[in-house]
């Protein structure tokens, strides 16, 4: 699907399918204040079922054949999850590492390990039924959220080609027609962190309601920056707002319109040299840093339920985002030496997506159920002329002819799909499911790259690329589900998924674009879900084995050393492991646990580590090598960002102090084992990411509609390297603490 000269640039810039919204009507029992709800012991979370929407209908997590973790809005507040990065500390087999303004989001080692738009994401995120801008624009804060669902493993039938590793479904709070309500929240913490947040729900009769929500947050930088240029890199300024309208004139017709706006200024993201051994928050810098995202979306979800119980649903989405960045590409304060050239990267890129999905969903009653759907999406990336994409290399006395590169152009893509799933109850409690998805994707490239020397008025080389690729695939899933009784559920399934192929872009050497094939995965899973102690304890246990053929990976091509190219791993890449999670509620005590043990083995593959130098004359065939000091055999290597062990656990105890007054201490612990940020696993070059042990804690006093909480994230103040991006390393967040006051009304 992708073959970017254009995306080769987007990769450098970012380095510095659709699911329906949750159609569960809000009730008067729902709180509009996530902070207060998080600490109240009056409402038992096991009274209502945990719901997932992975199969276009709302189903119980305990009786759905999918490996999933579901967090409510209250869970997010309890666990200190304010955005995408914190999800990894509450979900098994998941890592999220911000590298520049993109992020490496990986489930079971599959997702996005290279910060390049020329390789598709393997984990796609959805907001209210619409697939978000892929790989980037993911840093909007979590506020006024109803639920976050993290699905592990290929989701090829319903989520399509960007979900070979999994999918994340985020559902924002919907308007409610029963009463005026809302909440207000104020927070202050170290690093001069100020947060103001709130929501207001306004009904108009029994058929119309409007909800407004907003989040404003300022935070000073975590970093100590030295070098020729410092500024205020790492300062964060977030402005987010949301409006939604629910119109339900009859019990059968429901129309929901939502609009989101986000303006996030990062102040630039500092990054040190990957080989540095000191504190990753101490960064040397020799180039101006800046960065910000401005993006929004509009989602229209309309559904009609016939007298026979069949749901007809339409989900329309429009999204537009603009990102700008200026980064120090060498990660040092050195000024233009041959060993450490001063390289400044600047970019300004816009992406726009239109999407439409139609669903027809059968009633849940009877032995036979079915879902039919169609999907279309048009995605266009635009790099404007005159500053859209620039790489400035500082000349020096030894190498005065270092050239700069610029790029402009557009990369339109389309996706067309039809999908369906049927289920049939063979005998009481024993069901077979079968689903399939046909998809057709296209990607076109209309771009111009130029190489220039600072002292020449005209480019020394101009390259034009006008290409188009078309890819067609059929994927699906077959599952056997056994509901032993109301408390015990077993499942086994085989599922497939695919990521489309395409063409790499040429670089300034004028090499003909190299094609790469589609990536295919076959996933085998078995699982057990049990409910115990009269519903007070829920457990989910699963095992998986996945084989990826022609696995796509981004490596610097020795024939075109100035850019990365996509290669297919010739042998089979294998992933396998076990995952366990549990949630318990015992009066004032709540506990949760999630853990995973996983392994990954790359298929037969040879590649050059570009950090050791590249050269067009060197022979290094991806399938045959030969192995040498520079042509490295990677066969059997573990995937990047694929820790062999993850563990998260949390507990809280609500201590009654009087009528409607409780004091609730809570602690959460997360361990992510050491892993590698690169397939080359060269510890000397900084590839090894040490284990993370993160403790979050909070103490909340709740009385009536008010709550006051003292909180800390990363209580032990572990300073760790979160991600490797080429020759640079990026730090994770240090200890943060503060006080939060909220009131519901």
């Amino acid at each position: 699907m992708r073959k970017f000269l254009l995306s080769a640039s987007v990769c450098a810039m970012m380095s510095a399918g659709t699911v329906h919204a949750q159609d569960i009507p809000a009730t008067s029992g729902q709180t509009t204040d996530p902070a207060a709800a998080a600490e109240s012991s009056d409402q038992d979370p096991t009274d209502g079922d945990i719901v997932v929407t992975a199969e276009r209908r709302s189903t119980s997590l305990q009786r759905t054949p999918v490996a999933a973790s579901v967090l409510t809005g209250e869970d997010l507040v309890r666990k200190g999850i304010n955005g995408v990065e914190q999800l990894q500390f509450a979900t098994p087999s998941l890592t999220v590492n911000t590298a520049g303004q993109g992020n490496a989001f990986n489930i079971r080692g599959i997702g996005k390990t290279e910060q390049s738009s020329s390789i598709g994401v393997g984990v796609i995120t959805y907001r209210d039924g619409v697939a978000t801008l892929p790989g980037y624009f993911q840093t909007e804060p979590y506020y006024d959220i109803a639920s976050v669902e993290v699905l592990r493993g290929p989701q090829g039938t319903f989520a399509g080609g960007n979900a070979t590793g999994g999918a994340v479904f985020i559902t924002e709070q919907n308007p409610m027609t029963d009463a005026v309500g809302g909440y207000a929240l104020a927070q202050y913490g170290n690093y001069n962190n100020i947060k103001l947040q709130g929501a207001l729900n306004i009904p108009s009769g029994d058929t119309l309601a409007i909800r407004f929500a907003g989040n404003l947050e300022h935070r000073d930088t975590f970093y100590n920056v030295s070098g020729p240029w410092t500024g205020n890199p790492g300062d964060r300024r977030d402005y987010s707002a949301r409006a939604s309208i629910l119109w339900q004139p009859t019990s059968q017709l429901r129309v929901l319109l939502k609009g989101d706006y986000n303006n996030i200024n990062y102040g630039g993201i500092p990054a040190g040299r990957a080989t540095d051994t000191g504190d990753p928050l101490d960064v040397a810098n020799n180039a101006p840093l800046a960065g910000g995202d401005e993006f929004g979306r509009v989602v229209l979800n309309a559904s009609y339920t016939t007298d026979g119980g069949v749901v007809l649903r339409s989900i329309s989405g429009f999204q537009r985002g603009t990102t700008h960045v200026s980064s120090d590409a060498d990660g040092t304060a050195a000024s233009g030496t041959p060993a450490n050239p001063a390289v400044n990267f600047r970019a300004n890129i816009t992406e726009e997506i239109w999407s439409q999905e139609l669903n027809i969903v059968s009633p849940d009653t009877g032995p036979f159920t079915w879902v039919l759907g169609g999907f279309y999406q048009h995605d266009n990336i635009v790099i404007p002329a005159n500053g859209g994409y620039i790489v400035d290399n500082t000349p020096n006395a030894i190498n005065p002819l270092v050239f700069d590169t610029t790029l402009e152009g557009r990369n339109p893509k389309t996706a067309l799909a039809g999908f369906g799933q049927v289920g049939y109850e063979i005998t009481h409690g024993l069901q077979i499911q079968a689903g399939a998805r046909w998809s057709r994707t296209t990607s076109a490239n209309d771009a111009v790259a130029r190489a220039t020397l600072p002292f020449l008025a005209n480019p020394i080389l101009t390259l034009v690329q006008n290409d188009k690729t078309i890819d067609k695939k059929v994927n699906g899933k077959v599952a056997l589900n056994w509901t032993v009784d109301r408390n015990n559920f077993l499942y086994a399934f085989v599922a497939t998924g695919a990521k489309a192929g395409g063409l790499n872009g040429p670089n300034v050497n004028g090499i003909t674009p190299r094609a790469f094939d589609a990536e295919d995965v076959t996933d085998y899973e078995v699982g057990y879900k049990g409910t115990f102690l009269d519903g007070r304890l829920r457990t989910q246990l699963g095992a998986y084995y996945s084989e990826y053929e022609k696995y796509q990976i981004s490596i610097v091509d020795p024939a075109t050393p100035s850019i990365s190219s996509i290669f297919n791993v010739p042998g089979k890449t294998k992933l396998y492991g076990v995952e366990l999670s549990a949630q318990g509620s015992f009066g004032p005590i709540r506990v949760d646990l999630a853990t995973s043990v996983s392994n990954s083995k790359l298929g037969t593959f040879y590649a050059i580590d570009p950090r050791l130098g590249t050269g067009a004359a060197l022979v290094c065939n991806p399938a045959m090598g030969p192995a040498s000091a520079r042509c490295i055999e990677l066969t059997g290597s573990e995937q990047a960002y694929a820790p062999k062990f993850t563990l998260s656990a949390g507990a809280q105890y609500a201590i009654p102090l009087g009528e409607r007054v409780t004091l609730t201490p809570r602690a959460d612990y997360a361990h992510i084992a050491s892993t590698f940020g690169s397939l080359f696993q060269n510890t000397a070059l900084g590839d090894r990411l040490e284990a993370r042990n993160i403790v979050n804690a909070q103490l909340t006093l709740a009385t009536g509609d008010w709550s006051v909480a003292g909180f800390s994230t990363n209580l032990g103040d572990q300073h760790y390297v979160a991600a490797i991006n080429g020759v640079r390393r990026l730090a994770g967040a240090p200890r943060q603490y503060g006080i939060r006051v909220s009131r519901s009304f």
Side-chain angles (χ1 to χ4, degrees):
M1 167 179 171
R2 308 180 197 269
K3 49 154 187 49
F4 299 70
L5 165 63
L6 180 59
S7 49
S9 71
V10 178
C11 98
M13 178 214 72
M14 296 304 186
S15 69
T18 294
V19 67
H20 78 277
Q22 197 168 1
D23 286 328
I24 303 176
T27 66
S28 57
Q30 283 186 296
T31 177
T32 57
D33 179 359
E39 311 307 334
S40 171
S41 61
D42 295 338
Q43 189 175 6
D44 190 336
T46 60
D47 287 344
D49 218 345
I50 301 174
V51 171
V52 293
T53 59
E55 298 179 348
R56 296 302 194 276
R57 64 174 80 237
S58 298
T59 58
S60 166
L61 172 64
Q62 294 301 99
R63 288 175 292 281
T64 302
V66 63
S69 298
V70 180
L71 299 169
T72 65
E74 292 85 353
D75 293 330
L76 300 179
V77 175
R78 292 188 195 112
K79 292 177 169 292
I81 300 174
N82 302 309
V84 64
E85 283 186 84
Q86 290 83 32
L87 278 180
Q88 63 186 316
F89 303 124
T91 305
S93 303
L94 173 65
T95 60
V96 184
N97 304 292
T98 295
Q101 285 164 241
N103 57 58
F105 197 126
N106 296 276
I107 296 177
R108 300 174 179 173
I110 298 297
K112 196 172 184 68
T113 57
E114 303 288 340
Q115 292 305 304
S116 166
S117 62
S118 56
I119 186 168
V121 297
V123 178
I124 192 70
T125 300
Y126 304 82
R127 283 264 183 171
D128 290 309
V130 171
T132 61
L133 298 157
Y136 307 104
F137 304 103
Q138 301 291 314
T139 54
E140 63 184 289
Y142 289 177
Y143 68 99
D144 204 35
I145 298 293
S147 68
V148 176
E149 306 170 29
V150 180
L151 305 188
R152 303 183 293 274
Q155 308 295 320
T157 299
F158 288 106
N162 285 327
T164 51
V168 178
F169 304 146
I170 300 172
T171 303
E172 300 163 354
Q173 285 284 7
N174 293 334
M176 298 178 290
T177 59
D178 55 352
V180 174
Y183 73 94
L185 178 150
Q187 175 179 303
Y188 183 78
N190 61 332
Y191 298 102
N192 198 29
N193 173 232
I194 300 172
K195 178 188 288 188
L196 300 174
Q197 185 185 112
L200 175 63
N201 185 87
I202 305 173
S204 177
D206 297 330
T207 63
L208 183 68
I210 301 174
R211 188 177 186 91
F212 301 98
N215 184 82
L216 180 151
E217 186 168 4
H218 290 184
R219 191 209 67 223
D220 292 343
T221 184
F222 299 141
Y223 296 89
N224 301 309
V225 181
S226 61
W229 191 94
T230 55
N232 296 302
D235 287 0
R236 180 84 179 239
R237 302 291 184 264
D238 293 3
Y239 305 92
S240 300
R242 180 182 307 140
S244 51
I245 302 173
L246 173 66
W247 181 52
Q248 196 160 0
T250 70
S251 60
Q252 294 175 293
L253 178 62
R254 179 177 181 272
V255 180
L256 178 63
L257 177 66
K258 289 188 176 182
D260 287 84
Y261 171 78
N262 296 275
N263 190 324
I264 300 174
N265 191 316
Y266 306 89
I269 299 180
R273 197 78 173 175
T275 51
D276 292 343
T277 57
D279 190 333
L281 293 173
D282 294 334
V283 175
N285 193 69
N286 62 11
L289 298 184
D293 293 335
E294 185 176 16
F295 57 100
R297 76 179 62 83
V298 178
V299 178
L300 177 62
N301 185 325
S303 63
Y304 179 79
T305 304
T306 68
D307 292 338
V310 175
V311 177
L312 310 176
R313 181 184 300 113
S314 168
I315 308 172
S316 307
F318 171 73
Q319 301 169 82
R320 179 183 173 86
T322 297
T323 185
H324 71 273
V325 62
S326 177
S327 68
D328 175 9
D330 56 67
T332 75
S335 181
T337 67
N340 297 299
V343 184
N344 176 220
F345 174 80
R346 303 189 302 277
N348 184 1
I349 294 177
T350 297
E351 185 168 7
E352 188 174 282
I353 296 179
W354 296 86
S355 64
Q356 175 63 53
E357 179 167 335
L358 300 173
N359 298 155
I360 307 176
V361 184
S362 74
D364 291 329
T365 57
F368 183 69
T369 58
W370 48 268
V371 175
L372 293 175
F375 175 72
Y376 177 77
Q377 177 175 290
H378 183 273
D379 182 354
N380 190 32
I381 296 174
V382 176
I383 300 180
N386 303 318
Y389 168 88
I390 302 172
V391 179
D392 285 339
N393 293 274
T394 301
N396 54 74
I398 296 176
N399 192 8
L401 297 180
V402 173
F403 58 80
D404 301 331
T405 57
T406 63
L407 185 80
E408 62 182 88
R410 56 191 297 269
N411 175 219
K413 303 180 288 264
T414 66
L416 176 67
F419 58 89
Q421 178 171 284
V422 297
Y424 181 72
E425 190 173 21
I426 303 171
T427 62
H428 181 68
L430 185 63
Q431 182 195 46
I432 187 170
Q433 285 182 319
R437 183 186 188 97
W438 172 88
S439 60
R440 178 184 184 274
T441 57
T442 70
S443 181
N445 225 17
D446 180 9
V448 178
R450 297 180 178 89
T452 63
L453 289 171
F455 50 82
L456 294 179
N458 297 317
I460 61 173
L461 181 64
T462 299
L463 294 174
V464 179
Q465 186 180 22
N466 296 106
D467 294 316
K468 184 175 182 178
T469 58
I470 300 175
D471 206 356
K472 298 178 182 179
K473 281 290 180 181
V474 175
N475 292 297
K477 177 179 178 179
V478 176
L480 187 64
N481 310 318
W482 183 23
T483 304
V484 180
D485 53 41
R486 66 187 302 268
N487 294 321
N488 297 279
F489 177 76
L490 296 164
Y491 66 89
F493 66 77
V494 179
T496 65
K499 223 191 290 184
L503 289 174
N504 290 293
N507 73 348
V508 293
N509 291 333
I511 303 298
T512 301
R514 182 194 304 273
F516 61 93
D517 295 327
E519 169 187 300
D520 294 290
V521 57
T522 302
D523 177 49
Y524 306 88
E525 298 199 27
V526 295
Y528 165 75
K529 299 182 179 184
T531 305
F532 305 95
L533 303 177
D534 294 326
R536 315 297 287 182
L537 177 65
R538 291 190 174 101
T539 63
Q540 302 89 34
L541 173 65
Y544 65 91
Y545 176 84
S546 302
E547 284 191 346
Y548 287 77
E549 295 189 13
K550 300 182 179 179
Y551 180 68
Q552 295 172 2
I553 189 167
S554 179
I555 295 288
V556 167
D557 187 342
T560 59
S562 67
I563 64 169
S564 295
S565 294
I566 308 302
F567 287 89
N568 293 107
V569 175
K572 290 185 178 180
T573 295
K574 302 175 182 179
L575 292 91
Y576 51 94
V578 178
E579 297 162 338
L580 169 68
S581 55
Q583 310 84 39
S585 178
F586 309 96
I589 300 174
R590 294 181 180 178
V591 295
D592 57 80
L593 171 72
T595 187
S596 68
V597 178
S598 61
N599 290 277
S600 58
K601 293 183 178 180
L602 196 70
T604 302
F605 190 57
Y606 296 81
I608 292 175
D609 187 341
R611 299 166 297 182
L612 302 178
T614 58
L618 180 64
V619 176
C620 189
N621 184 284
M624 297 178 291
S628 67
R630 291 179 59 204
C631 184
I632 302 170
E633 183 178 7
L634 300 175
T635 305
S637 298
E638 68 179 64
Q639 291 285 77
Y641 302 110
K644 292 185 177 181
F645 178 68
T646 67
L647 170 69
S648 64
Q652 71 177 57
Y653 178 57
I655 305 169
L657 299 180
E659 186 178 357
R660 300 187 67 193
V661 180
T662 58
L663 181 66
T664 304
R666 180 176 179 89
D668 288 275
Y669 168 74
H671 171 79
I672 298 177
S674 61
T675 185
F676 289 97
S678 163
L679 286 172
F680 294 104
Q681 301 182 9
N682 191 326
T683 303
L685 295 180
D687 287 349
R688 182 177 177 84
L689 305 180
E690 297 301 329
R692 305 171 200 180
N693 292 283
I694 305 298
V695 177
N696 297 343
Q698 80 181 317
L699 180 66
T700 302
L701 177 67
T703 174
D705 297 330
W706 288 87
S707 70
V708 180
F711 66 90
S712 177
T713 58
N714 192 0
L715 184 63
D717 198 24
Q718 181 177 359
H719 291 195
Y720 61 94
V721 179
I724 300 295
N725 181 242
V727 299
R728 305 186 309 153
R729 64 176 189 172
L730 295 103
R735 176 171 55 217
Q736 299 174 77
Y737 56 86
I739 188 168
R740 179 176 59 240
V741 179
S742 63
R743 182 179 186 271
S744 61
F745 54 87

